[in-house]
Amino acid sequence: MESNSNSNPIKMFLPILFIISFLVFSSSQASVLDFCVADLSLPDGPSGYSCKDPNKVTVDDFVYSGLASPGTISNLTKSATSTAFADQFVGLNGLRVSMARADLEVGGVVPLHSHPGGSEIAFVVSGTITAGLISTTANKVYVKTLKKGEMIVFPQGLLHFFVNSGNRKALVLVSFGSSSPGLQFVNNALFGNDLPTELLAKATVLDAAEIKKLKALVGGSG
Protein backbone atom coordinates (compact mmCIF):
# COMPACT_ATOMS: atom_id res chain seq x y z
CA MET A 1 0.00 0.00 0.00
CA GLU A 2 1.42 3.39 -1.00
CA SER A 3 2.29 5.70 1.87
CA ASN A 4 0.28 8.91 2.11
CA SER A 5 3.02 10.83 4.01
CA ASN A 6 3.44 13.16 1.03
CA SER A 7 -0.26 13.54 0.33
CA ASN A 8 -0.42 16.82 2.25
CA PRO A 9 2.52 19.09 1.28
CA ILE A 10 1.33 21.80 3.69
CA LYS A 11 1.82 19.52 6.69
CA MET A 12 5.24 18.50 5.38
CA PHE A 13 6.43 22.10 5.13
CA LEU A 14 4.93 23.39 8.39
CA PRO A 15 7.99 22.46 10.51
CA ILE A 16 10.28 24.17 7.98
CA LEU A 17 8.12 27.30 7.94
CA PHE A 18 8.12 27.34 11.73
CA ILE A 19 11.92 27.14 11.89
CA ILE A 20 12.36 29.88 9.27
CA SER A 21 9.86 32.14 11.06
CA PHE A 22 11.60 31.56 14.37
CA LEU A 23 15.01 32.40 12.92
CA VAL A 24 13.70 35.57 11.26
CA PHE A 25 11.97 36.66 14.47
CA SER A 26 15.03 35.92 16.56
CA SER A 27 17.36 37.84 14.27
CA SER A 28 15.01 40.83 14.16
CA GLN A 29 14.74 40.85 17.95
CA ALA A 30 18.51 40.68 18.28
CA SER A 31 18.85 43.74 16.05
CA VAL A 32 16.41 45.83 18.10
CA LEU A 33 18.21 48.53 20.10
CA ASP A 34 17.48 49.28 23.74
CA PHE A 35 16.86 52.89 22.70
CA CYS A 36 17.18 55.29 19.82
CA VAL A 37 18.38 58.64 21.08
CA ALA A 38 17.55 61.23 18.41
CA ASP A 39 20.32 62.49 16.18
CA LEU A 40 19.12 66.07 15.63
CA SER A 41 21.77 66.66 12.97
CA LEU A 42 19.65 64.51 10.63
CA PRO A 43 16.12 65.35 9.42
CA ASP A 44 13.02 64.08 11.19
CA GLY A 45 10.78 61.55 9.42
CA PRO A 46 7.41 59.81 9.87
CA SER A 47 9.02 57.20 12.13
CA GLY A 48 11.07 59.71 14.11
CA TYR A 49 14.69 60.80 14.07
CA SER A 50 17.58 58.56 13.10
CA CYS A 51 19.48 57.07 16.02
CA LYS A 52 22.50 58.74 17.52
CA ASP A 53 25.65 56.61 17.53
CA PRO A 54 25.27 54.51 20.74
CA ASN A 55 28.93 55.09 21.54
CA LYS A 56 28.22 58.82 21.74
CA VAL A 57 25.14 58.52 23.97
CA THR A 58 25.52 59.91 27.50
CA VAL A 59 23.30 59.95 30.57
CA ASP A 60 22.37 63.55 29.77
CA ASP A 61 20.48 62.30 26.72
CA PHE A 62 18.02 60.66 29.13
CA VAL A 63 17.60 63.70 31.36
CA TYR A 64 15.65 66.90 30.64
CA SER A 65 15.03 69.91 32.88
CA GLY A 66 13.03 72.05 30.48
CA LEU A 67 9.81 71.60 32.43
CA ALA A 68 11.32 72.42 35.82
CA SER A 69 10.20 76.04 35.75
CA PRO A 70 7.46 78.06 34.02
CA GLY A 71 7.94 79.37 30.53
CA THR A 72 7.54 83.01 29.54
CA ILE A 73 3.96 84.15 30.05
CA SER A 74 2.35 85.55 26.90
CA ASN A 75 0.71 88.95 27.24
CA LEU A 76 -1.96 87.83 24.80
CA THR A 77 -3.01 84.54 26.41
CA LYS A 78 -1.70 85.06 29.98
CA SER A 79 -0.24 81.57 29.78
CA ALA A 80 2.98 79.73 28.96
CA THR A 81 3.32 76.31 27.36
CA SER A 82 6.57 74.34 27.59
CA THR A 83 7.08 71.04 25.79
CA ALA A 84 9.36 68.04 26.17
CA PHE A 85 9.13 66.41 22.76
CA ALA A 86 11.78 64.32 21.01
CA ASP A 87 13.30 67.34 19.28
CA GLN A 88 14.01 68.84 22.71
CA PHE A 89 14.36 65.73 24.89
CA VAL A 90 16.30 63.44 22.54
CA GLY A 91 16.06 60.38 24.80
CA LEU A 92 12.31 60.17 24.09
CA ASN A 93 12.82 59.42 20.41
CA GLY A 94 10.83 56.33 19.40
CA LEU A 95 9.45 55.71 22.90
CA ARG A 96 5.88 56.97 22.23
CA VAL A 97 5.85 59.18 25.33
CA SER A 98 6.42 62.89 25.94
CA MET A 99 5.29 65.66 28.27
CA ALA A 100 4.45 69.34 28.52
CA ARG A 101 3.47 71.87 31.14
CA ALA A 102 1.03 74.76 30.98
CA ASP A 103 1.17 77.67 33.39
CA LEU A 104 -1.91 79.89 33.40
CA GLU A 105 -2.33 83.21 35.16
CA VAL A 106 -5.80 84.10 36.45
CA GLY A 107 -7.96 84.38 33.34
CA GLY A 108 -5.23 82.78 31.23
CA VAL A 109 -5.96 80.41 28.38
CA VAL A 110 -4.20 77.78 26.30
CA PRO A 111 -6.11 78.48 23.07
CA LEU A 112 -7.75 75.94 20.80
CA HIS A 113 -5.10 73.60 19.45
CA SER A 114 -4.54 70.01 18.40
CA HIS A 115 -1.84 67.34 18.44
CA PRO A 116 -2.00 65.36 15.19
CA GLY A 117 0.53 62.78 16.38
CA GLY A 118 -0.83 61.57 19.71
CA SER A 119 -3.52 61.51 22.39
CA GLU A 120 -3.09 63.55 25.56
CA ILE A 121 -3.78 63.33 29.28
CA ALA A 122 -3.77 66.57 31.27
CA PHE A 123 -3.35 66.53 35.07
CA VAL A 124 -4.17 69.58 37.19
CA VAL A 125 -1.29 70.10 39.64
CA SER A 126 -2.68 73.30 41.16
CA GLY A 127 -5.49 75.74 40.60
CA THR A 128 -8.76 75.30 38.75
CA ILE A 129 -9.17 75.04 34.99
CA THR A 130 -12.05 74.64 32.60
CA ALA A 131 -11.07 72.33 29.77
CA GLY A 132 -12.92 71.34 26.65
CA LEU A 133 -12.63 69.32 23.46
CA ILE A 134 -14.56 69.27 20.20
CA SER A 135 -15.41 65.99 18.53
CA THR A 136 -15.63 65.53 14.77
CA THR A 137 -19.12 64.08 15.21
CA ALA A 138 -21.49 67.01 14.67
CA ASN A 139 -18.84 69.22 16.31
CA LYS A 140 -20.08 68.19 19.75
CA VAL A 141 -18.33 70.01 22.59
CA TYR A 142 -17.33 68.41 25.92
CA VAL A 143 -16.46 70.88 28.71
CA LYS A 144 -15.59 70.29 32.37
CA THR A 145 -14.18 72.34 35.24
CA LEU A 146 -11.30 70.49 36.91
CA LYS A 147 -9.62 71.03 40.25
CA LYS A 148 -6.28 69.95 41.70
CA GLY A 149 -5.70 66.21 41.30
CA GLU A 150 -8.19 65.74 38.46
CA MET A 151 -7.37 64.95 34.85
CA ILE A 152 -8.87 64.89 31.39
CA VAL A 153 -8.00 63.00 28.21
CA PHE A 154 -7.98 64.46 24.71
CA PRO A 155 -8.15 61.92 21.87
CA GLN A 156 -5.58 62.30 19.11
CA GLY A 157 -6.14 65.12 16.67
CA LEU A 158 -9.17 66.70 18.35
CA LEU A 159 -9.29 70.43 19.06
CA HIS A 160 -9.13 71.28 22.77
CA PHE A 161 -8.30 74.11 25.19
CA PHE A 162 -7.71 75.10 28.84
CA VAL A 163 -8.94 78.22 30.64
CA ASN A 164 -7.92 79.22 34.15
CA SER A 165 -11.36 79.62 35.72
CA GLY A 166 -10.12 79.97 39.30
CA ASN A 167 -8.79 82.85 41.39
CA ARG A 168 -5.14 81.75 41.51
CA LYS A 169 -2.44 80.60 39.12
CA ALA A 170 -2.92 77.14 37.62
CA LEU A 171 -0.36 74.51 36.65
CA VAL A 172 -1.20 71.62 34.35
CA LEU A 173 1.15 68.75 33.50
CA VAL A 174 0.46 66.90 30.28
CA SER A 175 1.57 63.53 28.90
CA PHE A 176 1.28 62.28 25.33
CA GLY A 177 1.20 58.88 23.65
CA SER A 178 3.87 59.96 21.18
CA SER A 179 7.41 61.29 21.37
CA SER A 180 6.50 63.84 18.68
CA PRO A 181 2.77 64.59 19.01
CA GLY A 182 3.00 67.91 17.20
CA LEU A 183 1.29 71.12 18.26
CA GLN A 184 -0.85 73.43 16.14
CA PHE A 185 -2.75 76.40 17.54
CA VAL A 186 -5.84 77.29 15.50
CA ASN A 187 -5.25 81.05 15.75
CA ASN A 188 -1.64 80.75 14.57
CA ALA A 189 -2.56 78.38 11.76
CA LEU A 190 -5.24 80.73 10.44
CA PHE A 191 -3.84 84.17 11.15
CA GLY A 192 -0.12 83.79 11.81
CA ASN A 193 0.73 83.39 8.13
CA ASP A 194 1.09 85.42 4.95
CA LEU A 195 -2.06 84.16 3.21
CA PRO A 196 -3.70 87.23 1.59
CA THR A 197 -6.51 88.61 3.72
CA GLU A 198 -8.97 88.64 0.83
CA LEU A 199 -8.40 84.95 0.13
CA LEU A 200 -8.54 84.04 3.83
CA ALA A 201 -11.81 85.96 4.16
CA LYS A 202 -13.34 83.80 1.42
CA ALA A 203 -11.92 80.59 2.92
CA THR A 204 -13.18 81.33 6.44
CA VAL A 205 -16.27 83.50 5.72
CA LEU A 206 -14.85 86.08 8.14
CA ASP A 207 -14.81 89.83 7.74
CA ALA A 208 -11.58 91.13 6.17
CA ALA A 209 -11.21 93.85 8.80
CA GLU A 210 -11.48 91.29 11.60
CA ILE A 211 -8.91 89.07 9.89
CA LYS A 212 -6.43 91.95 9.67
CA LYS A 213 -6.95 92.62 13.38
CA LEU A 214 -6.29 88.96 14.22
CA LYS A 215 -3.25 88.84 11.96
CA ALA A 216 -1.83 91.82 13.81
CA LEU A 217 -2.35 90.04 17.14
CA VAL A 218 -0.53 86.82 16.22
CA GLY A 219 2.08 88.20 13.84
CA GLY A 220 0.57 87.36 10.48
CA SER A 221 0.83 89.42 7.31
CA GLY A 222 -0.91 89.83 3.98
Side-chain angles (χ1 to χ4, degrees):
M1 184 175 179
E2 185 178 354
S3 171
N4 63 356
S5 60
N6 295 327
S7 62
N8 192 335
I10 294 179
K11 288 185 177 181
M12 182 177 69
F13 282 108
L14 276 177
I16 298 175
L17 290 173
F18 174 80
I19 293 172
I20 293 175
S21 298
F22 177 78
L23 290 174
V24 170
F25 176 78
S26 298
S27 63
S28 66
Q29 287 296 96
S31 65
V32 172
L33 299 174
D34 291 329
F35 48 78
C36 179
V37 172
D39 185 345
L40 299 183
S41 68
L42 298 174
D44 191 10
S47 58
Y49 287 95
S50 297
C51 302
K52 183 178 180 179
D53 182 348
N55 294 319
K56 296 181 180 179
V57 171
T58 71
V59 66
D60 289 335
D61 291 322
F62 302 103
V63 177
Y64 185 70
S65 59
L67 304 186
S69 56
T72 302
I73 298 293
S74 163
N75 292 329
L76 179 62
T77 63
K78 297 183 181 179
S79 70
T81 302
S82 306
T83 58
F85 297 165
D87 56 347
Q88 297 137 357
F89 187 3
V90 293
L92 294 180
N93 189 49
L95 299 184
R96 298 182 182 178
V97 292
S98 58
M99 291 189 70
R101 70 175 283 168
D103 294 271
L104 300 91
E105 300 285 350
V106 175
V109 57
V110 177
L112 273 173
H113 64 282
S114 65
H115 305 283
S119 298
E120 170 185 348
I121 294 179
F123 176 81
V124 182
V125 177
S126 61
T128 300
I129 67 165
T130 297
L133 63 146
I134 304 173
S135 78
T136 58
T137 304
N139 293 318
K140 184 173 177 59
V141 180
Y142 300 89
V143 179
K144 183 76 173 181
T145 296
L146 306 170
K147 297 180 180 180
K148 177 181 177 180
E150 298 183 314
M151 63 181 72
I152 186 171
V153 63
F154 302 115
Q156 179 176 339
L158 295 188
L159 291 170
H160 56 282
F161 65 90
F162 309 139
V163 175
N164 184 341
S165 53
N167 55 11
R168 53 172 292 191
K169 294 180 180 180
L171 170 61
V172 181
L173 288 182
V174 177
S175 62
F176 301 93
S178 168
S179 59
S180 298
L183 173 60
Q184 185 175 48
F185 287 101
V186 173
N187 287 343
N188 295 70
L190 287 175
F191 309 111
N193 54 57
D194 58 359
L195 186 64
T197 295
E198 294 73 17
L199 185 56
L200 187 55
K202 291 180 180 179
T204 59
V205 199
L206 293 175
D207 181 73
E210 186 65 24
I211 289 176
K212 289 181 179 179
K213 178 181 177 181
L214 292 169
K215 277 180 174 285
L217 283 174
V218 298
S221 61

